[in-house]
Amino acid sequence: MSRNASPSLPSRIVSRLRGAKRRLSPPDTSRYKLVAPTGGAGEGSFAFQRTLMTVRPDLIEERRGSETLIVCGAARGMTSAAAHALFELDMFLGERLQKHNFEDVDLRQAMPSKELMRGPLANRADFRRIVEERNARYDRWGFKIPHAVDHLPELTSTLRNPVVLLCVRNPIGTAKSVAQRSETDYGGLERLVHSSLAWVPALQFLLADRGVPALIADMDIVRRRPVAFVRDLAETFGLDGDIEGIGAQLSKRGYKLTEAKPGMEFVSLSEV
């Protein structure tokens, strides 16, 4: 199958059946129960910026320029805004990006949602191939895929010098955005709010695992201070760009439009 080929009819049918099963099944609320903190002298350092909380900033500084950046969060959790800012600051996010939301379409196909997978990511030849190719071609690279929150333990133990940008948003605001914009059945209020909390287990993992550096972005503050967010990203990763101009774009409602850069292309849903 060519890289631009659409999924086969059987694959689409299976995907829809699984989606229907998820909507009819009660949400797994055990995933989002708070875990008692362990504390202790060995906890990683942290720092607060204007819009970010940086976990293990020394490791982020150490990996800067050779990191693999994972941008993730709940669906409709403003991960696209974060990806837009990074893209405009010239952070490489993939060779084929979906228009408007900046998702790496090749890596997303190689890394489906957790409930659609059997076995670990390491067993997927397409995933391993993409990672190996990117490592060989780029000193630093990243990607934005919201459901990467469910793969963080495996991703952070597999990728080269991983750094996580976790987008955290008020779950009520996220649920409202999904309800207003979703073109499919989102499964009722309980599942709607539950899905908006997808970042909770990811946040607990990042705080507990002392070897993973991360930036926790407060997207509710980002909405109010977009220029500060762009400046935080630029300073953290050593990136340059029109900070004021990018911030002005972020302040506008809806998905952000921009031009493709050398070495990549934008593709539409019909081409994925």
Side-chain angles (χ1 to χ4, degrees):
M1 181 182 292
S2 68
R3 294 179 65 184
N4 290 324
S6 299
S8 65
L9 178 59
S11 297
R12 294 198 299 271
I13 292 173
V14 170
S15 177
R16 289 171 183 171
L17 288 174
R18 286 174 174 169
K21 181 180 179 181
R22 291 196 304 273
R23 291 192 295 272
L24 294 174
S25 302
D28 177 14
T29 55
S30 64
R31 287 183 57 206
Y32 305 127
K33 289 181 180 178
L34 293 177
V35 177
T38 56
E43 284 192 321
S45 59
F46 64 92
F48 288 98
Q49 295 171 265
R50 305 167 189 87
T51 62
L52 305 173
M53 178 178 73
T54 306
V55 182
R56 302 170 193 89
D58 54 333
L59 278 178
I60 293 178
E61 178 69 23
E62 180 181 312
R63 296 180 180 187
R64 189 166 76 179
S66 62
E67 73 273 58
T68 305
L69 179 61
I70 306 165
V71 183
C72 57
R76 302 302 311 171
M78 296 182 62
T79 54
S80 295
H84 170 79
L86 288 164
F87 181 87
E88 293 294 87
L89 289 169
D90 288 331
M91 173 69 80
F92 176 81
L93 296 177
E95 295 170 348
R96 295 200 311 146
L97 301 185
Q98 188 172 308
K99 289 180 180 177
H100 310 304
N101 67 13
F102 300 92
E103 289 190 18
D104 183 327
V105 299
D106 298 309
L107 195 54
R108 189 183 62 187
Q109 290 175 344
M111 185 178 64
S113 298
K114 199 78 169 178
E115 60 267 24
L116 300 181
M117 282 184 53
R118 292 182 180 179
L121 277 174
N123 289 351
R124 296 183 64 91
D126 50 353
F127 175 79
R128 294 198 310 271
R129 175 185 56 78
I130 291 174
V131 170
E132 290 169 0
E133 289 177 354
R134 299 278 170 84
N135 285 343
R137 195 172 300 167
Y138 304 102
D139 292 331
R140 74 190 317 187
W141 62 279
F143 60 89
K144 172 258 180 175
I145 299 176
H147 67 250
V149 289
D150 295 327
H151 295 283
L152 281 186
E154 191 168 5
L155 285 171
T156 54
S157 64
T158 302
L159 298 176
R160 181 187 64 194
N161 292 339
V163 174
V164 178
L165 173 57
L166 179 64
C167 297
V168 171
R169 185 184 182 188
N170 179 336
I172 303 305
T174 305
K176 179 180 179 182
S177 179
V178 173
Q180 291 179 334
R181 296 176 180 271
S182 178
E183 298 178 356
T184 60
D185 178 16
Y186 45 76
L189 180 60
E190 184 181 9
R191 181 168 294 281
L192 178 62
V193 175
H194 185 75
S195 298
S196 302
L197 292 169
W199 52 266
V200 173
L203 176 60
Q204 293 194 311
F205 166 78
L206 293 170
L207 296 180
D209 189 318
R210 296 169 186 171
V212 180
L215 296 95
I216 315 302
D218 185 335
M219 303 310 292
D220 295 296
I221 294 180
V222 171
R223 288 176 64 90
R224 300 192 298 270
R225 302 187 62 193
V227 174
F229 177 58
V230 179
R231 184 167 287 113
D232 280 347
L233 294 177
E235 292 176 357
T236 299
F237 294 109
L239 302 171
D240 294 316
D242 180 3
I243 292 175
E244 296 286 340
I246 299 169
Q249 285 294 315
L250 286 185
S251 67
K252 299 178 181 178
R253 295 177 61 86
Y255 287 122
K256 312 302 182 288
L257 299 177
T258 189
E259 299 296 325
K261 298 180 183 294
M264 59 79 57
E265 63 177 325
F266 285 119
V267 298
S268 63
L269 280 173
S270 62
E271 297 173 300
V272 177

